[in-house]
Amino acid sequence: MIKPIELVIFDCDGVLVDSERIAARVQVALGAELGWPLTEEEVVDRFIGRSHAAIREQVAARLGEETAAVWSERFERLHREAVDAGLAPVEGLPEALGAINLPTCVASSGSHEKMRHTLGRTGLHAHFEGRIYSAAEVARGKPAPDLFLYAARQMGVDPAACAVVEDSRPGVLAARAAGMRAFGYAGGLTPPERLEGPGTTVFHDMRELPALLAAS
C-alpha cells in the first residue's frame, strides 16, 4: 500500500529559483575562456543537479586542479553577480507554495551560503527557514540518495511518505534511490525524457504541482 505524502522536499536551483539558466550561461562562458568548450546541453548533462565539489572534480580531471580552482572561484563570483542583477522565483512557484498544505523543506546540491543568497533574493528564504539542507551535510551528493534521506530524517518522516520535486536527472535518480516519489519539473533546461522513469511524474507548469501531489 502506498503511503500518503507527508513531506514535500524541494530542490532549490531550477525548482524554487530560476537560477539554472544563469548557472548554465556562466559555465559555458567559463569553459570557452578556460579551455573546455561546452554547449548548454553539455553543461546540463554534466553539471546541472550536481554539487559544487562534483563539478570541480570534473573540471580538475579535464584541465587540472589549478584551473579547477580558478573556474570554481570565478563561477561563484559571476553567478552571484548575475543573481543580484535579476533572479526570480520559478514561474508559478509562489502560487504552488500557497496551495500546498503539506510540510515542506529544501534539499539542494548548493551550499547553505548560496541558498541564503538565492532564496533571500527571491523572498523565499523565510518560507523554508530552519528546513533547508545542503549536500555539504552528507557524504555523497546526488544522484546518491544521501541528501534526501538526511532531509527526511531531520524532518522525522518515513522516506516512503516523501515526495521530491526536482528538475535534474541526478535529482530524480536520487529520489528514486531514496524510495521517494519524484515529481520532475520539465519547465527548465532538462528535457522531459531525461526526467522520466519509474515512480516519477513529469510536469511542465509549477502551478500543476498541488493537484499532482493531492492525487498521489
Side-chain angles (χ1 to χ4, degrees), residues 14 17 19 35 40 55 59 66-67 70-71 85 97 99-100 134 138 143 145 147 151 170 174 187 211:
V17 296
S19 54
E40 183 180 271
I55 294 170
V59 176
E66 186 175 331
T67 301
V70 172
W71 185 307
L97 287 180
I100 293 171
S134 166
V138 297
L147 177 57

Side-chain angles (χ1 to χ4, degrees), residues 84 103 212:
D84 284 342
L212 293 173

Side-chain angles (χ1 to χ4, degrees), residues 6 33 41 47-48 72 83 99 106 119-123 129 134 139-140 144 159 163 179 186-187 192 211:
E6 298 176 20
E33 182 181 340
E41 291 75 20
F47 296 163
I48 297 300
S72 180
V83 164
V106 179
L119 293 174
R121 291 292 299 182
T122 52
E129 193 162 11
S134 166
R140 301 176 300 169

Side-chain angles (χ1 to χ4, degrees), residues 107-131:
S108 171
S109 295
S111 66
H112 279 287
E113 180 184 11
K114 181 182 176 185
M115 285 187 280
R116 276 192 297 272
H117 186 222
T118 57
L119 293 174
R121 291 292 299 182
T122 52
L124 293 169
H125 193 273
H127 185 88
F128 294 102
E129 193 162 11
R131 309 186 315 281

Side-chain angles (χ1 to χ4, degrees), residues 5-20:
I5 295 172
E6 298 176 20
L7 174 67
V8 183
I9 304 174
F10 286 93
D11 176 42
C12 183
D13 294 301
V15 170
L16 297 178
V17 296
D18 196 14
S19 54
E20 294 293 37

Side-chain angles (χ1 to χ4, degrees), residues 181-185 195 197-203 212 216:
R181 277 159 279 189
F183 290 80
Y185 174 61
L195 301 172
T200 304
T201 300
V202 177
F203 67 107
L212 293 173
S216 295

Side-chain angles (χ1 to χ4, degrees), residues 88-211:
V90 165
E91 185 179 354
L93 186 276
E95 298 96 311
L97 287 180
I100 293 171
N101 297 312
L102 290 164
T104 59
C105 69
V106 179
S108 171
S109 295
S111 66
H112 279 287
E113 180 184 11
K114 181 182 176 185
M115 285 187 280
R116 276 192 297 272
H117 186 222
T118 57
L119 293 174
R121 291 292 299 182
T122 52
L124 293 169
H125 193 273
H127 185 88
F128 294 102
E129 193 162 11
R131 309 186 315 281
I132 300 174
Y133 309 105
S134 166
E137 298 172 76
V138 297
R140 301 176 300 169
K142 306 167 189 178
D146 302 30
L147 177 57
F148 291 143
L149 292 173
Y150 175 74
R153 191 162 58 248
Q154 295 299 112
M155 295 291 292
V157 177
D158 184 337
C162 294
V164 172
V165 187
E166 266 286 355
D167 71 316
S168 72
R169 182 164 177 79
V172 293
L173 290 175
R176 291 174 205 152
M180 300 177 180
R181 277 159 279 189
F183 290 80
Y185 174 61
L189 295 179
T190 301
E193 60 272 17
R194 296 279 292 162
L195 301 172
E196 292 169 355
T200 304
T201 300
V202 177
F203 67 107
H204 293 79
D205 188 324
M206 199 56 75
R207 286 169 285 247
E208 301 171 33
L209 182 61

